[in-house]
Amino acid sequence: MNPVIHVAQNSPLLDTSLEIQISNLPPHQVVTVQAKMRDNLGTSWQSFAEFKSDSKGEINLAKAQPLSGTYSASDTMGLFWSMIPLTHEPKRKTPLQPLETKITVMKEHEILATHSVTRHVVSPAVDRIPLRERGLIGTFFCHSKSGPLPTIIVLGGSEGGLRESNAALLASYGFNTLALAYFGMEDLPKELIDIPLDYIEKAIDWLTDHPKVDDTRIGLMGTSRGGELALLSASIFPSIKAVVGFVPSGVIYPGIGQSAIGVPSWQFKGKSFPFAYGEVPKEVGEEIQQAKQSGKPISWRKTYHFWAVGEKEAEIEVENIKGPVLLISGGDDQLWPSDVLSEKVIIRLKEHNHPYDYEHINYPEAGHSFGPPGLPTTQLVLPYGNGMQLLFGGNPTDNAHAQFDAWQRVKVFFDQHLANSSISTLGSFNRITE
């Protein structure tokens, strides 16, 4: 009898864990299990692990510890998050296409069994509607066949453009979502400089006017600088009833752009907000210059820390938020100190006796990257331009586990505070066993 790969999924959505077992092997045989995937940006990924079958000739990836491979501890999702990039063939971005992963069992170079796993970024019950009205650039993910639903605005970070995959995946759990670009796309500002919060207000007004949106239950979710923007916007607009910040800041920082330094990031009704730009010790600047010259990845953690020291005017008045707040951070965040910056929010909320729930969840060994779970977490360094690289921090294992846990907590948070248990009742998939 030939070896067989068994895969069970609670649903085909990207953020659900899998059960993977291999049967019909000879007892105590060492085999290699390989996974290959091509993502929606054109990058091919691969992982592998060597296992020894048990006395029954079976391998359960949730329990079996790899003898060697791209990950080292038993983990049913290890083959997915430990993938490393092989090749990149640029193509048109299709971030919402299902991802197909081919799992292969091999003995030396002989293929014993193969199986393909398809994971979806969005439920088929969710409609994708491009938004180009009132000067807004975004994508609305909507349950057209449902009545008015709680709706969450999703903001990306300093990369600019749209973060559709986060919004699409979240919408698959019974919410409407609006992936909203605020710079770096079409007619929006080219750089993260003096971005008007009037734009966020327009987005809220657009949602309020939409017949499929429950305008009493609007939330905000932002990542990195988008997390900073989410906290700032919620502190100004009382329509926002719940806020999630992934690796955010409770302090307003300078704008980011090639055209200028030490300039504002945000403004409202023509007035720029104060920003933290305190003095950075000479040795910190020298560390960055040495990293640039030697080609080593650059950490901005210390720079952002010192920029914020004593800059009370730049702190966001989070006590004005009319709803609960959830903050997610990495203790080894090397892009900026999101753990410290999130804790500033908690301290301020405590000092002002904030009447709503608030929580800061820190993952001590995780870094700055918090994307949808189920994707590779092996890239800890990203290009920065001019041959330079940015250090994001963490390690693949802890980043993967933090992303999975944080995402589940975020879904529960919005369910509790916005959806009143509508989660998983719309657009859900049935459990699949293959």
Side-chain angles (χ1 to χ4, degrees), residues 2-171:
N2 294 327
V4 179
I5 302 170
H6 308 270
V7 178
Q9 302 169 264
N10 285 328
S11 90
L13 287 172
L14 180 67
D15 61 342
T16 55
S17 187
L18 307 178
E19 297 170 13
I20 303 175
Q21 298 187 58
I22 302 163
S23 63
N24 296 344
L25 290 166
H28 311 299
Q29 183 179 63
V30 175
V31 296
T32 299
V33 182
Q34 182 187 81
K36 285 186 176 182
M37 175 195 72
R38 189 180 186 197
D39 68 20
N40 288 319
L41 301 179
T43 300
S44 295
W45 300 81
Q46 180 176 296
S47 61
F48 78 95
E50 279 191 326
F51 297 100
K52 180 184 284 188
S53 63
D54 62 18
S55 59
K56 297 179 180 179
E58 297 177 350
I59 299 170
N60 183 339
L61 267 63
K63 300 176 181 179
Q65 181 169 340
L67 304 175
S68 64
T70 50
Y71 69 104
S72 59
S74 57
D75 189 332
T76 189
M77 296 300 292
L79 287 173
F80 293 86
W81 59 254
S82 71
M83 289 183 179
I84 57 175
L86 295 179
T87 59
H88 180 70
E89 300 173 14
K91 64 175 186 176
R92 183 176 177 270
K93 293 183 179 181
T94 54
L96 304 184
Q97 291 298 309
L99 294 173
E100 183 176 346
T101 300
K102 184 178 181 181
I103 300 173
T104 305
V105 179
M106 297 181 292
K107 175 64 176 174
E108 297 178 347
H109 298 294
E110 180 187 0
I111 296 176
L112 305 179
T114 62
H115 187 91
S116 290
V117 179
T118 300
R119 296 176 300 151
H120 293 254
V121 182
V122 62
S123 162
V126 176
D127 294 320
R128 178 186 180 275
I129 304 171
L131 172 59
R132 299 294 188 275
E133 297 177 24
R134 306 185 193 181
L136 298 170
I137 305 294
T139 305
F140 186 47
F141 294 96
C142 176
H143 293 263
S144 299
K145 296 180 181 179
S146 172
L149 289 174
T151 301
I152 301 155
I153 301 172
V154 179
L155 304 169
S158 58
E159 74 280 1
L162 285 171
R163 184 166 289 202
E164 286 196 32
S165 56
N166 289 27
L169 191 57
L170 188 57

Side-chain angles (χ1 to χ4, degrees), residues 159-231:
E159 74 280 1
L162 285 171
R163 184 166 289 202
E164 286 196 32
S165 56
N166 289 27
L169 191 57
L170 188 57
S172 301
Y173 287 91
F175 308 97
N176 296 326
T177 59
L178 173 60
L180 186 67
Y182 54 93
F183 84 101
M185 187 174 178
E186 297 180 20
D187 294 330
L188 296 175
K190 302 302 180 187
E191 299 177 315
L192 203 166
I193 295 174
D194 251 339
I195 304 299
L197 266 68
D198 314 66
Y199 180 79
I200 304 297
E201 188 174 35
K202 283 183 183 179
I204 295 171
D205 291 342
W206 186 86
L207 291 175
T208 299
D209 293 340
H210 200 285
K212 293 298 180 181
V213 173
D214 182 343
D215 63 2
T216 67
R217 295 187 289 172
I218 296 177
L220 254 178
M221 183 173 84
T223 301
S224 194
R225 291 307 296 263
E228 176 187 320
L229 177 57
L231 289 168

Side-chain angles (χ1 to χ4, degrees), residues 220-421:
L220 254 178
M221 183 173 84
T223 301
S224 194
R225 291 307 296 263
E228 176 187 320
L229 177 57
L231 289 168
L232 179 60
S233 299
S235 74
I236 294 171
F237 305 123
S239 299
I240 303 302
K241 300 303 183 184
V243 186
V244 168
F246 280 102
V247 290
S249 172
V251 176
I252 299 173
Y253 278 111
I256 299 175
Q258 300 293 324
S259 59
I261 58 173
V263 293
S265 294
W266 323 110
Q267 60 167 293
F268 184 49
K269 297 191 182 303
K271 183 179 179 181
S272 298
F273 289 93
F275 55 91
Y277 205 46
E279 186 174 350
V280 177
K282 182 179 178 182
E283 56 268 25
V284 174
E286 290 175 347
E287 284 180 15
I288 292 176
Q289 289 304 317
Q290 289 172 2
K292 289 180 178 179
Q293 292 170 5
S294 63
K296 293 181 179 178
I298 299 167
S299 169
W300 287 103
R301 182 180 176 93
K302 292 180 182 177
T303 300
Y304 276 99
H305 168 76
F306 284 108
W307 273 349
V309 172
E311 300 284 287
K312 294 291 291 185
E313 286 190 3
E315 289 189 9
I316 298 171
E317 295 177 349
V318 290
E319 64 273 14
N320 293 331
I321 296 174
K322 303 302 182 187
V325 177
L326 175 62
L327 308 175
I328 308 292
S329 71
D332 190 44
D333 188 336
Q334 294 299 317
L335 193 61
W336 67 3
S338 60
D339 49 344
V340 177
L341 299 172
S342 295
E343 200 57 31
K344 282 182 178 289
V345 174
I346 300 301
I347 291 171
R348 185 154 184 147
L349 292 173
K350 286 180 180 178
E351 289 176 347
H352 289 83
N353 297 313
H354 192 60
Y356 305 93
D357 291 343
Y358 53 90
E359 185 178 10
H360 169 207
I361 303 171
N362 174 251
Y363 299 90
E365 304 302 322
H368 189 78
S369 297
F370 274 87
L375 296 174
T377 55
T378 52
Q379 289 192 303
L380 308 178
V381 173
L382 290 179
Y384 183 45
N386 298 322
M388 294 182 290
Q389 294 180 313
L390 278 180
L391 183 63
F392 273 44
N395 62 78
T397 304
D398 285 290
N399 287 353
H401 294 162
Q403 287 184 15
F404 184 83
D405 185 70
W407 185 255
Q408 310 313 316
R409 289 173 182 255
V410 166
K411 290 189 297 186
V412 170
F413 172 83
F414 279 130
D415 178 44
Q416 290 177 342
H417 297 293
L418 285 185
N420 297 329
S421 297

